[in-house]
Amino acid sequence: MTNHLLSIEELGADGIREVLQLSHTFVEVSARAIPRVPALRGKTLAWLFYEDSTRTRLSFETAAKRLSADTMNFSVGSSSVNKGESLRDTVETISAMGVDCIVVRHGSSGVPWRIREWTDASVINAGDGWHQHPTQALLDCFTIEQRLGPLDGRHVAIVGDIKHSRVARSNVEAFTALGADVTLVGPRTLLPPSLDGWPCKVSHDLDAVVPSADVVYLLRMQNERMNEALVPSMREYSMGYGMTMERVGALADHALVMHPGPMNRGVEIAPEVADLDRAVMVDQVRNGVAVRMAVLYLLLGSGVELPVEGV
Ligand code: NCD
């Protein structure tokens, strides 16, 4: 792994496997009575979240604490960003205080690559616009392999608002890098205008795809990224593309239902489906901490011994 985690493409299949392999160690650490190891003692991380987040930010914070790193609690909403400070000045300011890693979420695609030019710190992309969300893809790969074994040869259906989804872009790259077949499912209006370069199939008929899926991965309708109505109504969308109990009945026994959160129960997923054992959203969140610990350790922990059991 290099000094940064910006996209799944840059990480590559070997990098993905390296993170997943190491994540098992941190699942074990997280299950201890005192889930903390000294691996990143003396390292400082800063959060730069220009977009809302619950899971991703709390997950990174928990991961950093469990590795004994220090964190700089920068909140965009109460910072000089509100006084017009530029992104570059903000990055240079926090870098000057001595920070080893900047975790950034921003509404514009490509921002983490700009930040990399302005700082010596490692940069982690926690979501840039519609573009990438690599740690989400890694925790999703880990969760699938934990439940079903290797992704190689598995069929994953990604359903819903693909067009606006950085999760879809990262996950397609990660799932296919590990050998899975991916089908994107949604109405034409919610698919990207061109699917050139997307290594996957496309379907507009969820019922045709469900029986052969090992994983149905649902996405939220990202209304905040739409400037026009792309579906006639939420009710019609749910009828065509929502995961209902009826559709669960057509799934293979072992098949999983996944969602990156936040879920809109009753839109892309029926409330009772979200509570089934095969709906692994809680595993996704739990594994997210271990996977982010692995990422932070690989980026910042070189030379530090691995926190094996009992340390
Ligand atoms: C996603 C995101 O923000 O990209 N959520 C997440 O990080 N778990 C998906 C979304 O907002 O729908």
Side-chain angles (χ1 to χ4, degrees), residues 41-266:
R41 197 180 277 159
K43 301 284 183 188
T44 303
L45 280 71
W47 322 118
L48 216 51
F49 275 60
Y50 285 80
E51 260 194 5
D52 297 342
S53 172
T54 303
R55 267 154 290 271
T56 306
R57 177 155 180 173
L58 288 177
S59 182
F60 269 113
E61 280 183 18
T62 308
K65 281 207 181 86
R66 290 186 183 170
L67 293 167
S68 309
D70 294 320
T71 56
M72 256 187 217
N73 282 320
F74 174 91
S75 164
V76 169
S78 57
S79 70
S80 291
V81 170
N82 282 346
K83 299 179 185 169
E85 185 161 62
S86 73
L87 179 62
R88 181 173 186 157
D89 287 338
T90 304
V91 169
E92 288 179 351
T93 301
I94 59 174
S95 299
M97 293 180 195
V99 66
D100 299 288
C101 180
I102 297 176
V103 181
V104 58
R105 169 169 285 195
H106 200 282
S108 300
S109 300
V111 159
W113 281 262
R114 298 306 306 279
I115 290 180
R116 183 176 58 177
E117 292 165 17
W118 300 328
T119 180
D120 293 330
S122 293
V123 179
I124 299 179
N125 183 358
D128 65 320
W130 304 3
H131 183 220
Q132 282 282 306
H133 191 354
T135 56
Q136 180 70 44
L138 291 166
L139 74 90
D140 289 331
C141 291
F142 186 85
T143 303
I144 295 172
E145 296 205 331
Q146 191 181 49
R147 288 272 186 150
L148 301 182
L151 261 157
D152 192 22
R154 294 292 189 179
H155 179 206
V156 184
I158 302 181
V159 186
D161 182 5
I162 316 272
K163 182 176 179 182
H164 303 99
S165 176
R166 54 191 171 212
V167 175
R169 286 173 179 78
S170 298
N171 284 26
V172 164
E173 289 174 12
F175 295 158
T176 54
L178 296 183
D181 294 319
V182 177
T183 307
L184 304 178
V185 187
R188 271 169 234 282
T189 47
L190 293 181
L191 291 166
S194 160
L195 285 157
D196 279 356
W198 289 64
C200 44
K201 295 195 206 95
V202 175
S203 169
H204 308 298
D205 183 355
L206 180 58
D207 293 304
V209 175
V210 161
S212 66
D214 296 298
V215 178
V216 175
Y217 193 102
L218 304 164
L219 293 171
R220 183 175 65 90
M221 194 73 73
Q222 293 168 79
N223 291 312
E224 75 276 20
R225 300 192 199 281
M226 297 180 195
N227 38 29
E228 57 187 328
L230 295 177
V231 290
S233 72
M234 286 302 168
R235 203 175 147 267
E236 274 174 74
Y237 174 79
S238 298
M239 281 166 58
Y241 298 100
M243 200 61 195
T244 56
M245 281 305 274
E246 222 179 341
R247 292 194 168 112
V248 167
L251 281 171
D253 287 346
H254 67 270
L256 307 177
V257 175
M258 299 178 75
H259 194 303
M263 283 189 277
N264 290 132
R265 288 181 186 241

